[in-house]
Amino acid sequence: EALTRSLGRALPMVPRALLLTLLGVALMGCPRHTGPDTTLPLVTTENRAAEDEVRAARDAADAGRSTEAAERYESYLSRYPDDALRPIAQLGLGRLRLAEGHTETALPLFQEVARHPDAAVAERGRFYVGVTRHLMGEHQAAIAILEPLRGRTVDPEETALLLRTLAASALATNDVERAILTLDALIAESVPDEDKREAEARLREILASALGPEVVARLYDTLPHTGVAWPILARAGMRAAFESGDLVRVRTLARALTDAGETLESDLATMAVRAERTGTADPRVIGALLPLS
């Protein structure tokens, strides 16, 4: 709750519900797996004492003993400044600091990992630099860092974290188009169901707001027809076209929805039939279509 208030002060334009979602970013400080960090390349050390220290820190983090874990990571980093496991310890400590809301402490740890000579290790550091920049309210910087990493995460939780963070930064910079595309992509990913539900609820909320015609046109051409957002836009477009008497557009959208495997609601089906049978429409006329038989 304290971290929610802290983030609220840093990101005053972000709704509380979205702030709670962003806490999922910070609270991932404790790894959920107990084995080696599978999202990093194989990093080993010949120093058994150093390895034991890092393992003890990870075990403490897994068990929820964050204070002990942080102390062990800090002890390792102090005692073994040149050990090969240093980036793992920095990432672990950095995530713990994020969970505490100490972005200014976490950032240098992630930045050092981002300078690692191994490209895969450095990319992991950049990923968390981007997340931290977002939590610091530096949304354009976060987007610049995280956008190139789309499609490169292999862990479902980190994929969700990446896309959630991108969408939130897009909304914070009023880039509604990017936010819609990102949330739609998140729903299509193999991520936890909770992330899918939150993303879909936020996506529907955004789509229900007033979107400019140019944005709608680009999204209609860009969004995958198998996603959540495109059918919503197509249905809304079909109703608007019928109201304006543009039956050519009604026919086009009805066919596109049907081709995408969508079932038209009764009102849309009626509009589609009328558009197929007539050339013009008067939206003020209320009636029903009956079979001639």
Side-chain angles (χ1 to χ4, degrees):
E1 192 63 29
L3 186 51
T4 302
R5 290 194 296 270
S6 174
L7 283 173
R9 290 191 295 270
L11 310 175
M13 300 304 294
V14 180
R16 176 182 172 80
L18 187 54
L19 284 178
L20 292 175
T21 300
L22 295 180
L23 282 179
V25 171
L27 297 179
M28 286 181 66
C30 301
R32 299 187 186 183
H33 50 271
T34 57
D37 196 328
T38 55
T39 58
L40 279 175
L42 183 62
V43 180
T44 60
T45 180
E46 296 180 358
N47 189 327
R48 182 61 181 272
E51 182 180 356
D52 289 344
E53 188 73 14
V54 172
R55 181 179 294 108
R58 289 178 61 87
D59 288 345
D62 288 341
R65 303 192 305 273
S66 57
T67 300
E68 177 190 342
E71 290 174 351
R72 287 187 175 275
Y73 277 133
E74 287 178 336
S75 173
Y76 162 85
L77 291 170
S78 175
R79 293 171 61 189
Y80 307 105
D82 300 319
D83 188 67
L85 299 180
R86 185 175 180 85
I88 292 178
Q90 289 171 317
L91 289 170
L93 179 59
R95 288 181 298 206
L96 289 169
R97 294 309 184 211
L98 276 189
E100 298 167 348
H102 300 317
T103 53
E104 71 287 348
T105 305
L107 183 60
L109 292 165
F110 297 142
Q111 287 175 325
E112 184 171 336
V113 178
R115 295 190 292 269
H116 196 277
D118 186 290
V121 175
E123 185 172 274
R124 187 81 183 286
R126 289 198 303 276
F127 173 78
Y128 279 101
V129 169
V131 171
T132 307
R133 291 291 187 195
H134 165 73
L135 291 175
M136 295 174 74
E138 300 175 13
H139 303 297
Q140 292 290 6
I143 292 171
I145 295 169
L146 295 176
E147 190 66 49
L149 299 180
R150 290 182 63 153
R152 297 187 59 79
T153 52
V154 295
D155 180 78
E157 291 176 355
E158 289 198 339
T159 298
L161 172 58
L162 170 67
L163 296 175
R164 280 205 320 265
T165 306
L166 266 174
S169 281
L171 288 174
T173 56
N174 296 316
D175 189 349
V176 178
E177 188 173 345
R178 186 192 300 271
I180 291 172
L181 289 166
T182 303
L183 290 171
D184 197 63
L186 172 55
I187 297 167
E189 289 283 353
S190 298
V191 299
D193 289 341
E194 183 178 357
D195 290 299
K196 288 177 180 284
R197 288 192 296 269
E198 290 175 351
E200 182 168 348
R202 187 63 174 135
L203 179 60
R204 290 183 180 276
E205 179 183 343
I206 297 170
L207 291 172
S209 62
L211 300 175
E214 293 182 357
V215 171
V216 171
R218 285 196 299 270
L219 287 172
Y220 180 83
D221 292 335
T222 306
L223 285 164
H225 292 196
T226 54
V228 171
W230 182 85
I232 294 174
L233 285 177
R235 283 177 166 86
M238 189 172 167
R239 291 187 172 95
F242 189 81
E243 285 294 322
S244 66
D246 186 355
L247 294 189
V248 174
R249 183 66 173 165
V250 172
R251 289 196 296 269
T252 299
L253 291 172
R255 291 168 183 167
L257 282 164
T258 302
D259 291 344
E262 296 289 325
T263 300
L264 297 181
E265 292 79 357
S266 59
D267 65 323
L268 293 179
T270 299
M271 293 176 195
V273 172
R274 184 166 181 177
E276 289 291 343
R277 293 184 178 179
T278 63
T280 60
D282 184 350
R284 296 169 297 177
V285 175
I286 299 174
L289 292 172
L290 301 175
L292 294 178
S293 59

